């Protein structure tokens, strides 16, 4: 259909600055497969969270301490080094509009969804700012990968330099 698909794995801080990007996985692949391949190659320099901390302890630390170096993942990933929401428990922010979180699992899922929403907003800014993402089919794949990485870098520059930007304000 003239569309080109590329999986992009990105880590994002709570200020919407992307700290790690892996672009260039051609085609449609499951997120967990991309992550598994990226972390399996030491040359990718994937920034792992600190080892040796109990994940269950982190459930509460990460909600309170915004500067911690732990990753929040969606339910597509396994709960190993990365914190995923509880399965079969309310998760989406809209689910909590009518009734507040009651159990510890619902409270964790609600906090997780609010924090993870940052990456969704960061990708929203990127997709809105760079409409070239929808028009790259005629370019060779290595050029497409480099364009994606360059767009992430420009976006980070705008954010870090605190340039008055309507898109970041809109997605804030």
């Amino acid at each position: 259909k003239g569309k080109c698909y590329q999986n992009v794995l990105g880590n994002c801080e709570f200020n919407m600055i992307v700290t790690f990007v892996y672009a260039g996985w051609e085609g449609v692949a499951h997120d967990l497969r991309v992550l598994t391949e990226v972390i399996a190659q030491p040359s990718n320099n994937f920034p792992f969270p600190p080892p040796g901390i109990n994940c269950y302890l982190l459930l509460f630390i990460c909600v309170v301490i915004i500067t911690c170096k732990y990753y929040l993942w969606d339910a597509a990933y396994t709960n190993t080094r990365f914190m995923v929401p509880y399965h079969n428990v309310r998760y989406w922010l809209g689910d909590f509009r009518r009734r507040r979180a009651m159990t510890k699992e619902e409270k964790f899922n609600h906090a997780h969804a609010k924090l993870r929403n940052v990456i969704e907003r960061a990708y929203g800014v990127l997709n809105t700012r760079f409409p070239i993402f929808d028009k790259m089919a005629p370019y060779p794949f290595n050029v497409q990968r480099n364009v994606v990485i360059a767009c992430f870098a420009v976006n980070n520059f705008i954010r870090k330099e605190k340039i008055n930007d309507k898109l970041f304000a809109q997605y804030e």
Side-chain angles (χ1 to χ4, degrees), residues 12 14 33-34 44 47 49 71 80 87 89 92 121 129 138 148:
C12 177
F14 294 108
R33 180 168 180 222
V34 175
N44 289 328
Y71 296 124
T80 54
H87 294 282
V89 176
W92 302 108
R121 294 192 332 259
R129 183 182 314 281
V148 168

Side-chain angles (χ1 to χ4, degrees), residues 47-107:
F48 286 99
I53 297 180
N54 185 339
C55 269
Y56 296 106
L57 176 63
L58 296 178
L59 301 180
F60 302 103
I61 293 174
C62 201
V63 171
V64 179
I65 304 172
I66 300 297
T67 58
C68 65
K69 293 280 185 179
Y70 308 105
Y71 296 124
L72 302 174
W73 300 92
D74 63 26
Y77 297 95
T78 57
N79 197 4
T80 54
R81 290 189 200 188
F82 312 108
M83 294 191 308
V84 299
Y86 285 98
H87 294 282
N88 301 320
V89 176
R90 287 188 300 161
Y91 177 73
W92 302 108
L93 293 178
D95 294 343
F96 294 98
R97 287 198 183 111
R98 290 186 212 108
R99 188 172 58 94
R100 66 185 183 98
M102 302 297 287
T103 67
K104 68 179 179 9
E105 292 84 4
E106 286 181 342
K107 288 177 183 177

Side-chain angles (χ1 to χ4, degrees), residues 16-69:
M16 290 198 281
I17 292 176
V18 177
T19 57
F20 176 83
V21 65
Y22 181 86
W25 188 282
E26 198 169 356
V28 180
H30 192 277
D31 295 345
L32 184 57
R33 180 168 180 222
V34 175
L35 174 66
T36 303
E37 294 294 325
V38 168
I39 64 178
Q41 285 294 333
S43 61
N44 289 328
N45 296 319
F46 184 80
F48 286 99
I53 297 180
N54 185 339
C55 269
Y56 296 106
L57 176 63
L58 296 178
L59 301 180
F60 302 103
I61 293 174
C62 201
V63 171
V64 179
I65 304 172
I66 300 297
T67 58
C68 65
K69 293 280 185 179

